[in-house]
Amino acid sequence: MSGKYFLIFTLSLLVAACGSEGGSGGSGNSSHSHQVASGLPGETGFPAAVVPANAKVGSAAFELGRSLFYEKRLSGNGQQACASCHQQDKAFTDGLARAIGSTGELHPRNTQSLANVAYNSTLTWVNPTLTSLERQMETPLFGTEPVEMGINDVNKEEVLQRLRSDPALVSQFETAFPEQVSNGRMGVALVDFDNIISAISTFQRELISSNSRYDKYLDGNGDLTPQELRGLALFNGEKAECFHCHGSFNFNDQVQFIGQVPEPPQFHNTGLYNIDGKGGFPEPNVGLIEFTGSPQDMGKFRAQSLRNVELTAPYMHDGSMSSLEEVVEFYSSGGRVIASGANAGDGRKNPYKSDLIVGIGFTDQEKSDLVAFLKSLTDREFTQNPRFARPN
Amino acid sequence: MKNLTKQFPWSVIGGLTVLLSACGGGGDSSPTTSAQQTKFAPAQIAFAARENGQPVDCTSTLTTVGTAANSSQLRDLRFYVSDVRLVTTQGQEVPFTFDTGSTVAANQTDNLALVSLIDNPNGTLGECVQATAFSVLSGTAPQGTYNGIRFTIGVPQSLNHSDTTSTSTPEPLKVQSMAWSWQSGRKFVKAEFNPTSGVQRPNNVSATTWNFHLGSTGCQTPAGLTPDNAVCSNSNRLTVSLDNFNPDKDQIILDLNALLAQSDITTDQGGALGCMSGSTDADCPSLFKVLGLTIQQDGSVTRDGPANFFSVLKNVR
C-alpha cells in the first residue's frame, strides 16, 4: 500500500523537477475555464499554476496588489491591512492561535500561510466552494461572521474614497489596468473592489516558496543533515506515512496545477476532539459537516501545507497546538486526549477519524528527527524576499 | 391608509384566501391571446411586514413574535424575490416583467429584486441603521384582471454564486450584507431580531441577535472550476402562491407571527445564532417547516409545500 503512495510522491517530485515546461504535458482538461498565466512559476521548479481566465497578470498589477496588501485604509475602520494577519516573517501568518479582526473580534480559526497559495484547490480551512483567490478575498474584506477587515455596505464607498484620494495609488491603478484606461475608464474610476481584489490576487499568486534547504537538497545544491534525512525517510516511510495527506510538492493534498486532472478536495478528521463521545468537535469549528450536513463529515478540515511550518505556529484550525513537538506527539498518539474542561474527550476514539491516523508510537529520536526535517522546509529567501515586503 | 389596514379583520382574509383557493382550481382555460394582440401595462407588486396585523418598521417594539413572551426589535428584514407570475381571473399564469435600466432602483434588476422592509430612518440596529427601503417592484404585465400571484424567494442558481464585486454583477447582488461566502452564494432571506432579554445560548453566554438566514446549502465548487460554478444539494428556494391578490390594490404581507410561529427567538439551541440554514442547526427544523421545507436525517432538505408566512392584505393601495 505505502509503495503505491511513495510512487505518487516520487512522481510529484518529478513533475516539480520538470515544471519549467509549464502545461505542455499531462492530461489537459478542456472542460475547465482556466488558462496558464505567462510569467508564473517555471523558474521556481514547480509546475505551472492554474489561474482563472480573467485573472490579472503582470508586474504593474503585482506591485499594485502589493501596495494594497499592506494598505490599512482598505478596512472599514482603517485599522487593518491583509498584512496585519499575514506577516511575511511568519510565512504570512500572525503567530496567534486565532486571528483578531479589525474591530477586535476574535476569529474562530487560525490564520493560514499564503505561501504557494496559487496551487491550493480550495483556500480556507474547510469551505469547499471557495476555489479562487478572487472570491475567497470577499470573506476577509466583507465578512461579518466574524468581522475581519470590516468593509460593509455602509462604509464601502468611504473606503474607496480613501484610496481614491491618494494620487500615487490611483496612478498605480492606471498602470495596472491599461486595457480599462484605453476603454475610457481612468483615474479614480479604476479604484473599485473588482480591481482591488484582482490586483491583490496577482500579488498572492506570486508568493511562491520553493527555496527551502529541502528544495536545495532536491536540486543538488545543498545538503540535509543526517537527522533531517532520517526525518525525511520517516515522513515518506511506512511508519509515519505523513505523505498521505502532505505528499505533494506543496506538502498538502489539495494542489492543482496545469496538466493535472482536477480532483475533488480532501478533508480529514484527525482526532483532535471528541467532546460528546460521538465524535463531536466544539462549535463553531465543526468542520465539513457545516457544509454537507453529513454526520461523517464531523471534524474534517483541510490538510495544511507544511512549507515553512516552523514559522506558522500555533497549529491546527483553531490554533490549539503551540509547537511542532506537540503536533508530532499528537500524530504519534493517533489523536488527542483532553482530560478536562468543555472540550474534554478522547479524540483517538473519534468515530469519524481518518483511517490514516493510527497510533504510530514514535520513539523520542524519531520525533526529533521528524521535527528536524519539518524545519528544513523553512524558506528564508521567501520570508525575507524584498519583493514581498511592505513597499516603501 | 394606515387606519384602513389597522381595522382590517385578519381572520376574514384567511378565510377568503382559503375559499378562493378552494374554488380557483376550476381550470377555466380560455384560449391564449396571441403575441401580437397582447398589450402590456405597468404593474406594481407591493410588499410590507406586519406583526399581528400592524405595520412594523425598525423602530417598532415587537411583542408577539416567536414562541416566548418577550419583546424584540427588528435588526434586518430583506429578501430576494424572483420569477414573479400573476394569475388572471381565468386562472392563467403570466409573467411579471421587472423594469430595468438606470431609472430603476438599484434593488431591482431583470427578474430579481431585493425587497427591503427596513424602512425607518430612525433605526439604530444592524441594517436598520442604513435603512434602504425597497418594497414595491415595478414592471409590466399583460393587460388583464388578476387575482393571484406566484413568486420565488431566492436568487436564481445562474446568479446566486456570482462575484459580489464584479462590474458585470447586477446591483442587487452587489449588496455585501446579503452575500454569503459560506456557500459562495447569497442569503435569500435575512431577518434578524434583537429580543429585549437577549438570546440565551447553550453555554449560558447571552447574545444580542437571533438571526434567520436562508440560502442554498450543501454547495461545492466542482474540481478545477471557479466558485461561480458552485452547485448546491439544497436549493432552499421558496415558492409562494397567493390567491385573491390584485396587484393594483393589494399588498403582500410578510407575517412575522407566521414566520416565527415555531421559533423561540430568546434562545439559541446551538450552532449558528438563530437559524442560518445549516442542516445540523437545531433552530432550523421548526422554522423550515413554516417555509415548506423539511431537513432530513442525512442533512438533505426537501420541499414539501409552499412557504406560508406571506398573506394578502386587501385594498390598501
Side-chain angles (χ1 to χ4, degrees), chain B residues 277-300:
Chain B
S277 297
S279 293
T280 58
D281 187 333
D283 298 290
C284 285
S286 55
L287 179 49
F288 269 42
K289 280 289 178 199
V290 174
L291 313 178
L293 303 174
T294 303
I295 300 174
Q296 305 292 343
Q297 205 69 42
D298 64 357
S300 64

Side-chain angles (χ1 to χ4, degrees), chain A residues 129-284:
Chain A
T129 71
L130 292 173
T131 57
S132 79
L133 285 166
E134 284 82 358
R135 292 301 299 281
Q136 188 279 332
M137 211 180 306
E138 295 173 10
T139 305
L141 288 177
F142 304 110
T144 53
E145 287 148 37
V147 172
E148 296 184 48
M149 295 178 74
I151 303 175
N152 56 41
D153 294 315
V154 180
N155 65 30
K156 64 185 180 186
E157 275 307 309
E158 179 196 329
V159 169
L160 292 176
Q161 284 305 330
R162 279 184 218 146
L163 304 179
R164 287 168 181 157
S165 68
D166 182 337
L169 198 57
V170 172
S171 138
Q172 273 197 290
F173 275 86
E174 291 189 317
T175 319
F177 297 98
E179 68 293 340
Q180 292 179 27
V181 172
S182 60
N183 284 334
R185 205 163 172 246
M186 51 190 78
V188 295
L190 291 167
V191 184
D192 66 12
F193 286 107
D194 210 14
N195 287 342
I196 288 168
I197 286 173
S198 183
I200 296 175
S201 301
T202 303
F203 173 72
Q204 289 179 309
R205 286 197 173 90
E206 297 202 26
L207 296 175
I208 300 299
S209 172
S210 65
N211 289 311
S212 67
R213 289 184 44 250
Y214 166 76
D215 295 295
K216 294 188 165 119
Y217 161 77
L218 285 187
D219 293 344
N221 294 328
D223 291 324
L224 293 182
T225 67
Q227 183 179 31
E228 289 164 343
L229 288 169
R230 287 197 304 273
L232 170 61
L234 200 54
F235 188 93
N236 286 326
E238 279 184 66
K239 183 167 184 181
E241 297 195 299
C242 308
F243 59 87
H244 283 285
C245 300
H246 298 284
S248 72
F249 62 87
N250 201 28
F251 289 85
N252 62 357
D253 64 351
Q254 277 203 25
V255 281
Q256 57 175 7
F257 51 89
I258 298 294
Q260 170 227 40
V261 178
E263 297 171 357
Q266 300 290 308
F267 301 93
H268 314 276
N269 176 328
T270 58
L272 274 172
Y273 294 100
N274 187 5
I275 57 174
D276 53 3
K278 294 184 283 190
F281 269 50
E283 294 277 357

Side-chain angles (χ1 to χ4, degrees), chain A residues 283-284, chain B residues 68 195 197-212 263-277 280-284:
Chain A
E283 294 277 357
Chain B
S197 67
V199 179
Q200 207 61 34
R201 308 202 75 183
N203 55 8
N204 286 327
V205 177
S206 186
T208 54
T209 304
W210 200 94
N211 305 285
F212 168 43
S263 300
D264 177 359
I265 61 171
T266 66
T267 57
D268 172 65
Q269 303 172 65
L273 256 176
C275 165
M276 296 189 184
S277 297
T280 58
D281 187 333
D283 298 290
C284 285

Side-chain angles (χ1 to χ4, degrees), chain A residues 32 34 127-132 135 138-139 142 145 153 156 192-194 197 262-264 283 289-291 293, chain B residues 130 161-167 174-177 181-184 213 218-219 221 223-227 271 276 298:
Chain A
H32 70 57
H34 299 144
N127 192 325
T129 71
L130 292 173
T131 57
S132 79
R135 292 301 299 281
E138 295 173 10
T139 305
F142 304 110
E145 287 148 37
D153 294 315
K156 64 185 180 186
D192 66 12
F193 286 107
D194 210 14
I197 286 173
E263 297 171 357
E283 294 277 357
I289 187 175
E290 190 189 328
F291 296 86
Chain B
Q130 201 187 6
H161 303 283
S162 55
D163 192 325
T164 68
T165 64
S166 169
T167 46
K174 287 181 182 166
V175 177
Q176 286 300 338
S177 50
S181 61
W182 177 38
Q183 306 286 347
S184 289
H213 296 170
C219 306
T221 302
L225 299 182
T226 46
M276 296 189 184
D298 64 357

Side-chain angles (χ1 to χ4, degrees), chain B residues 16-207:
Chain B
L16 277 176
T17 313
V18 170
L19 278 177
L20 281 168
S21 50
C23 50
D28 183 3
S29 51
S30 52
T32 314
T33 321
S34 80
Q36 282 98 343
Q37 290 169 329
T38 305
K39 288 184 176 167
F40 291 87
Q44 293 187 324
I45 313 291
F47 288 86
R50 295 206 161 208
E51 179 203 22
N52 261 353
Q54 302 300 315
V56 295
D57 63 30
C58 285
T59 60
S60 306
T61 300
L62 311 174
T63 54
T64 62
V65 300
T67 58
N70 197 269
S71 60
S72 61
Q73 237 183 310
L74 268 182
R75 194 178 180 278
D76 200 352
L77 191 58
R78 288 177 295 165
F79 51 91
Y80 286 103
V81 174
S82 60
D83 194 23
V84 179
R85 289 146 290 143
L86 291 167
V87 186
T88 67
T89 47
Q90 286 81 41
Q92 190 191 357
E93 283 185 20
V94 300
F96 167 86
T97 307
F98 289 65
D99 287 339
T100 55
S102 56
T103 58
V104 174
N107 283 52
Q108 181 172 318
T109 185
D110 186 28
N111 194 31
L112 181 72
L114 174 59
V115 174
S116 170
L117 301 180
I118 42 174
D119 60 351
N120 190 297
N122 299 318
T124 55
L125 302 175
E127 294 300 323
C128 282
V129 174
Q130 201 187 6
T132 47
F134 184 78
S135 60
V136 181
L137 314 187
S138 68
T140 54
Q143 267 182 350
T145 316
Y146 297 104
N147 71 346
I149 189 167
R150 317 268 183 263
F151 57 91
T152 299
I153 296 291
V155 177
Q157 167 65 20
S158 60
L159 292 171
N160 189 31
H161 303 283
S162 55
D163 192 325
T164 68
T165 64
S166 169
T167 46
S168 62
T169 298
E171 291 299 322
L173 296 169
K174 287 181 182 166
V175 177
Q176 286 300 338
S177 50
M178 297 303 285
W180 219 28
S181 61
W182 177 38
Q183 306 286 347
S184 289
R186 301 299 191 288
K187 304 172 188 97
F188 299 162
V189 179
K190 188 166 180 281
E192 299 176 350
F193 305 87
N194 279 22
T196 310
S197 67
V199 179
Q200 207 61 34
R201 308 202 75 183
N203 55 8
N204 286 327
V205 177
S206 186

